[in-house]
Amino acid sequence: MADLTCHPAHPPAQVRSVEFRIIGFDANWLRARWKIMGSGKLVVPSFAGKGRADGLWQTTCFELFLQQPGSPAYTELNLSPSERWNVYDFSARREGMTERPMPREPECTMRLGTDMAIFDAAIPAMGLPAAPWLCGATAVIEEEGGVKSYWALCHGGEAPDFHDPTCFVEEVAAPSAA
């Protein structure tokens, strides 16, 4: 489990913490979980059904950045509580963006309580680059009134930039056998 840090230039209204963990990784699925405490004013995108979409980061969204050690290339996964998603490959920091083919769609579930929300994602492992990776786990959290906070394992600059490779700090080993 890792605590994400809110970027100081964009504080939340009520959210107190965002935690991230990989809860499973085998030859079939990468399973990840984000837990938000203080979620009483969380804006959750309406159900839109499965499918690719761009611009998911404009409201509450959960992201993973996967980079093989020693490579400038990386993969970005955008996952929304609306069940929309997208996966992009980059050749270097914010360069050479292309949509990454996926063998099937990720499965996403959002559970809301009065003060806690949990977002779970199951991503088809066959659609991901070969592990091991350096991982950047992030979240864009929108609360009522248009308040947006940007959460990551670490932040590298004065403005939030989830593509900053210095933020890809979580080491993820190759998957276990299915």
Side-chain angles (χ1 to χ4, degrees):
M1 177 174 59
D3 290 328
L4 301 186
T5 302
C6 180
H7 193 281
H10 298 274
Q14 290 189 350
V15 171
R16 296 185 307 280
S17 66
V18 179
E19 296 174 359
F20 168 79
R21 78 169 62 183
I22 292 175
I23 56 176
F25 186 27
D26 60 30
N28 298 312
W29 297 98
L30 170 68
R31 291 180 174 82
R33 172 172 289 162
W34 288 259
K35 181 171 116 179
I36 302 131
M37 297 302 296
S39 63
K41 295 199 177 280
L42 184 68
V43 173
V44 178
S46 298
F47 174 76
K50 293 190 185 316
R52 286 188 184 260
D54 292 318
L56 297 174
W57 55 269
Q58 294 176 7
T59 187
T60 300
C61 174
F62 303 89
E63 300 178 351
L64 287 175
F65 292 81
L66 308 174
Q67 183 179 49
Q68 294 171 319
S71 173
Y74 61 95
T75 299
E76 174 187 2
L77 294 95
N78 295 169
L79 305 161
S80 172
S82 72
E83 292 195 16
R84 295 292 175 154
W85 60 276
N86 218 331
V87 182
Y88 307 98
D89 284 328
F90 290 84
S91 58
R93 185 176 179 176
R94 296 190 178 274
E95 294 179 12
M97 183 175 98
T98 58
E99 269 191 3
R100 182 177 187 85
M102 292 297 285
R104 62 183 290 187
E105 296 186 291
E107 303 283 334
C108 299
T109 306
M110 185 86 176
R111 294 180 304 222
L112 296 168
T114 56
D115 189 54
M116 179 179 69
I118 293 179
F119 181 80
D120 285 330
I123 300 127
M126 295 297 291
L128 300 175
W133 308 306
L134 296 174
C135 174
T138 69
V140 175
I141 302 295
E142 183 175 2
E143 295 176 86
E144 293 173 10
V147 174
K148 289 184 189 171
S149 54
Y150 301 87
W151 299 75
L153 290 169
C154 68
H155 296 280
E158 292 182 20
D161 183 1
F162 295 158
H163 291 257
D164 184 343
T166 63
C167 300
F168 306 166
V169 296
E170 176 117 346
E171 294 181 14
V172 179
S176 60

